[in-house]
Amino acid sequence: MRKTLLNIFITATFIIVMACSPITASEAVTEQATGYISTPIDLSYLSDNPPIEGDRRAPIYMDSALPAKYDLRNVSGKSYLTPVKDQSTYGTCWAFASIGAMESNYKKKTGNDIDLSELHLAWFTFKNADKSKVFGSKSSKNTLSAVLGGGNSFYPAALYSRLDGPVLEEDLPYPPRNASESSYTPSETTPEAYERVLRLTDVYYLNFDYDGGPDSIGSSETSMAIIKHRIMDTGAVVASYQSTESAYNKTTSNGTAYYTTSKSTNHAIQIVGWDDNYSASNFKTKPSRDGAWLIKNSWGTWWGDSGYFWMSYDQYLRDGTAFIVEEANSTMKAYYYDAIGWNGNNYGAYAANVFKSERSEKLIEAGIYVPNNNTGYELTVYKVGNSMPTSSPIGSTKAATKKGSFSYAGYHTITFDTPVNLNEGEYFSLVLKLDTTYMPVENNDIMGTSVKIETGSFFSYNGTSWTTGSSAKANACIKAFTVADTKPTVSTTSFTGYAGYAFSGTLELSDKTQATWKALDTLPKGLKLNTKTGAITGKPSAAGSTDVEVRALTSVGIISGTVTFNIFAPKAVKVEVT
C-alpha cells in the first residue's frame, strides 16, 4: 500500500529500545551496548520516490555501474575511514556512527584524518545551559550515566546545523572503559564553548525500511544501489539494525557474519563497503541469497574482525544517512529558531523566518530541510525594515532569490549567487517555497522535547496570506548564515605588573564585542580571570614572564590569542638616614 507523508507522521510511534542507559557489567559479557531510538519522523515513504541524481537523469538504482565488491578501507590503496572506536557501556552508538560517517566524508574529500568528539555530540544533545536547545528531559542530570543514551541521526543534524560543532576529540575526549565518569564530564555548559573545526552542510536521509529481499516496488534493490552510490561518492553511511549477540557467527573463516530475521532496530553502525559474492553459508541463519555489507562497529578493535563484521543483504535496516561536512568558517554566524531541527510537519508549501542582523555582515547561505526526495525549492531574501513584522514576512525590497532542487530528503545548504549586505539592526526575511504540500517544522514532540516558539516564523498555503509561528505552534526550519567583513582579534597582547602588588587588566577584542573568556594556560599565581568581563585581578606572588593562551567565545565562534604577563620584582626603595 502506498504510504503518504501525512498519515505516517500522524501514526508514527516512538519506541525507545535498550541501552538508553548503560548496561550492567554482567550484561556486558553477552550483549554489548547499543543505543539507537526511532527518529521523530518516519521516512519509510521515501522508497516510493527514489532520488534522481545529477547527470544520471534517472533513479540511481537503474545505474548498473557498481562494482561487485567495495571496501572503504582500501580504495586503490587509500583508506577513507578513521580508526575503530569504543562506545564503552553507554548507549551512544548513534553518536559514534554519525561522527564516523563525518570523519569518513572529510577524509574522502581531503585525504586527511580527523578525530572528532563523540562525547561533545552525545552530551550536548541533551545538556545545554539554554534548555530550549536540548532533546528530551535530561537537562537536570549531571552524570555521564544519566545523560548519555539513545539517539538517532536527526540529533547531529540539529546540533551541527546550528554551528554548535563538531569539535576535536582532544578538546572533549570520550571516557574509556572503567574510567572515572567525573574525570570526563564536560566542564563547559554550552556546546559552542568548544572550538568547532568542521561545518555540517548536508544530511541525506536515504530510503528507510530497507527490507532485505525484493517486494512489489523493488525497494531492496533500490535501497542497495542508493547505499552503494553514497558510500562510493561521500563515504560511510549510517544505518540501524537489531543487534542480538546470539546471531553473530564468529567462527567462520570469512570473518564475523551477522543475520537475523528481526524487523526491529536497536543499534546504529556504519556501512563501509560490500561484497555481492559473500556466501550465505557464512551466517548462522542462512539468508535467501549471497551478498553482505561490510560494517564498521563501535565496540572497539577487540570485537569482531578488529571492529568490523559482515551483515547479510537480507538484514532489515533503517535510517540510512549520509553526512556531508566542510572546513569551519570561524567568522560565520547562524540565525535560526529551530534549535532541535525537524521533528514535525505543517500544512502548506510556504514558510519564512525573519531575523534581526546583529552586526555589519553578509548573508551568504541558508539552511533548510526538505521532506521528500527530488524536491524543488525557491528561496527569496527580503529586507523588511527596522522592526519585526507581525502579519507577513514579505518586505518591500527583494535582495536575492535562489531556485533549485535536492535529490535527497534531509538537511541542505543553499548558497546565494551574490552575498546580501546587512547592516546591524536591520531585519531581513528568508521566504521558502517547496514543491510539496507539507513544510518541515520544529514543534513539541511526543518524546518529551519542549520547544520554545519564537517570534519571527510564518507559514502560508499560497504565499500571500500568512499565519504566525505562534498561531501554528511551530518554528520554521530555515536558517541564515552570515560572515563578517573582518574577523576580530584579541587586541590585548601583554600585561605588566609587580610581584606582591595589586594587578588589574582586561582582555579585549579588536572590535570591542562582548565575549566569554577562558584561559587555556595557567595564569601567574595570585591572579584570577573574570570569564564574563575579561577582567584579570589579584596580586601576583612571584616575578617572571608567562605566555597564556586565551579564548574568547563570541556570537560568531571562538577567537584565540596569546597574552604575555611580565611580572617584575618590586623595585628596591633607597632610604637615606640622616
Side-chain angles (χ1 to χ4, degrees):
M1 180 181 295
R2 190 176 184 88
K3 302 174 184 176
T4 65
L5 175 61
L6 180 59
N7 63 37
I8 289 175
F9 173 67
I10 292 176
T11 60
T13 58
F14 304 86
I15 303 172
I16 300 180
V17 294
M18 62 177 294
C20 287
S21 58
I23 60 175
T24 65
S26 61
E27 292 172 326
V29 175
T30 54
E31 299 287 350
Q32 296 301 316
T34 53
Y36 166 82
I37 64 174
S38 299
T39 58
I41 304 292
D42 181 353
L43 295 177
S44 57
Y45 62 88
L46 293 179
S47 61
D48 288 354
N49 181 24
I52 298 173
E53 280 199 277
D55 296 336
R56 295 188 179 103
R57 308 308 303 164
I60 66 172
Y61 70 91
M62 296 175 64
D63 189 337
S64 60
L66 288 166
K69 190 173 183 178
Y70 190 83
D71 187 340
L72 281 173
R73 295 175 299 182
N74 186 355
V75 181
S76 299
K78 296 181 179 180
S79 171
Y80 295 113
L81 296 175
T82 51
V84 170
K85 302 179 184 181
D86 188 353
Q87 69 184 83
S88 185
T89 58
Y90 303 101
T92 51
C93 60
W94 59 277
F96 278 79
S98 299
I99 288 293
M102 293 179 206
E103 292 173 343
S104 176
N105 177 250
Y106 177 80
K107 192 169 183 179
K108 212 166 194 316
K109 282 184 169 183
T110 66
N112 299 321
D113 277 308
I114 192 167
D115 189 4
L116 301 175
S117 172
E118 289 82 9
L119 181 58
H120 181 269
L121 171 58
W123 178 267
F124 287 109
T125 291
F126 306 107
K127 288 282 293 182
N128 196 316
D130 183 347
K131 292 181 173 56
S132 69
K133 296 182 178 182
V134 297
F135 285 83
S137 55
K138 298 181 182 179
S139 58
S140 62
K141 308 296 183 181
N142 295 303
T143 65
L144 296 183
S145 296
V147 174
L148 302 186
N152 54 60
S153 59
F154 276 59
Y155 291 2
L159 185 70
Y160 293 157
S161 67
R162 66 183 195 232
L163 302 185
D164 282 346
V167 308
L168 292 176
E169 173 74 8
E170 64 185 41
D171 287 344
L172 193 55
Y174 195 85
R177 291 177 184 264
N178 302 316
S180 168
E181 286 199 353
S182 60
S183 300
Y184 288 86
T185 301
S187 59
E188 303 291 349
T189 59
T190 59
E192 62 268 26
Y194 299 87
E195 185 173 12
R196 68 178 184 269
V197 292
L198 297 181
R199 179 196 174 200
L200 181 67
T201 61
D202 295 88
V203 180
Y204 299 159
Y205 293 135
L206 313 180
N207 281 27
F208 285 43
D209 283 343
Y210 169 73
D211 190 7
D215 61 22
S216 59
I217 60 171
S219 66
S220 174
E221 296 303 318
T222 302
S223 295
M224 286 175 62
I226 290 170
I227 293 171
K228 289 178 178 180
H229 276 294
R230 288 271 54 88
I231 292 172
M232 293 179 69
D233 292 348
T234 56
V237 166
V238 176
S240 64
Y241 73 107
Q242 182 69 27
S243 175
T244 303
E245 182 67 22
S246 60
Y248 293 98
N249 186 0
K250 301 177 182 179
T251 62
T252 172
S253 60
N254 296 310
T256 300
Y258 184 85
Y259 170 62
T260 176
T261 57
S262 173
K263 296 298 181 69
S264 300
T265 61
N266 68 353
H267 188 46
I269 39 74
Q270 300 166 62
I271 306 177
V272 299
W274 66 87
D275 184 351
D276 291 343
N277 299 312
Y278 191 83
S279 177
S281 64
N282 289 318
F283 302 94
K284 285 186 176 181
T285 300
K286 190 174 182 179
S288 67
R289 55 181 166 169
D290 291 342
W293 300 111
L294 177 61
I295 304 299
K296 180 184 178 186
N297 210 341
S298 54
W299 294 339
T301 56
W302 62 270
W303 185 93
D305 310 324
S306 299
Y308 293 83
F309 69 100
W310 291 95
M311 178 187 290
S312 170
Y313 280 162
D314 278 3
Q315 181 64 43
Y316 178 81
L317 297 175
R318 280 183 61 95
D319 292 10
T321 308
F323 293 94
I324 313 300
V325 296
E326 66 179 18
E327 297 282 356
N329 182 334
S330 61
T331 72
M332 180 172 282
K333 177 177 174 60
Y335 293 89
Y336 59 88
Y337 300 131
D338 60 320
I340 65 167
W342 180 23
N343 69 352
N345 295 294
N346 195 53
Y347 292 103
Y350 293 83
N353 275 340
V354 180
F355 303 108
K356 180 182 179 181
S357 177
E358 297 179 2
R359 58 180 181 171
S360 178
E361 57 192 344
K362 289 181 171 62
L363 172 66
I364 60 170
E365 292 176 339
I368 68 170
Y369 288 88
V370 296
N372 211 335
N373 296 330
N374 310 314
T375 298
Y377 70 87
E378 181 176 347
L379 183 65
T380 304
V381 180
Y382 291 93
K383 300 289 190 74
V384 295
N386 297 317
S387 62
M388 177 67 73
T390 57
S391 58
S392 171
I394 308 299
S396 58
T397 303
K398 182 184 294 187
T401 299
K402 184 81 174 194
K403 297 180 181 180
S405 64
F406 291 110
S407 299
Y408 290 91
Y411 174 78
H412 298 287
T413 300
I414 298 169
T415 302
F416 295 108
D417 295 330
T418 303
V420 177
N421 292 316
L422 298 171
N423 297 317
E424 184 176 356
E426 183 176 21
Y427 286 81
F428 63 100
S429 66
L430 285 78
V431 180
L432 175 66
K433 179 184 183 299
L434 294 180
D435 292 343
T436 63
T437 56
Y438 305 98
M439 183 65 65
V441 300
E442 176 200 62
N443 55 23
N444 291 326
D445 68 24
I446 64 174
M447 295 181 70
T449 298
S450 180
V451 168
K452 179 182 179 183
I453 305 301
E454 303 281 0
T455 301
S457 283
F458 295 84
F459 300 96
S460 176
Y461 287 98
N462 54 22
T464 55
S465 299
W466 293 87
T467 299
T468 64
S470 299
S471 298
K473 297 181 180 180
N475 294 320
C477 293
I478 305 171
K479 295 178 174 68
F481 298 105
T482 65
V483 292
D485 293 330
T486 59
K487 179 182 178 180
T489 60
V490 178
S491 59
T492 310
T493 59
S494 64
F495 290 115
T496 298
Y498 292 90
Y501 286 81
F503 177 96
S504 179
T506 302
L507 297 171
E508 291 184 337
L509 293 173
S510 56
D511 61 357
K512 307 299 182 182
T513 56
Q514 185 177 2
T516 299
W517 293 89
K518 181 179 182 179
L520 301 185
D521 301 312
T522 302
L523 293 175
K525 189 174 181 180
L527 299 183
K528 61 181 179 179
L529 168 66
N530 185 317
T531 59
K532 294 184 179 180
T533 65
I536 299 173
T537 56
K539 288 184 179 181
S541 60
S545 180
T546 306
D547 290 335
V548 176
E549 183 180 357
V550 296
R551 285 184 179 178
L553 174 61
T554 73
S555 61
V556 297
I558 293 176
I559 299 166
S560 300
T562 300
V563 178
T564 301
F565 289 81
N566 295 307
I567 307 301
F568 298 98
K571 294 181 178 180
V573 178
K574 183 177 180 180
V575 179
E576 294 183 0
V577 179
T578 58

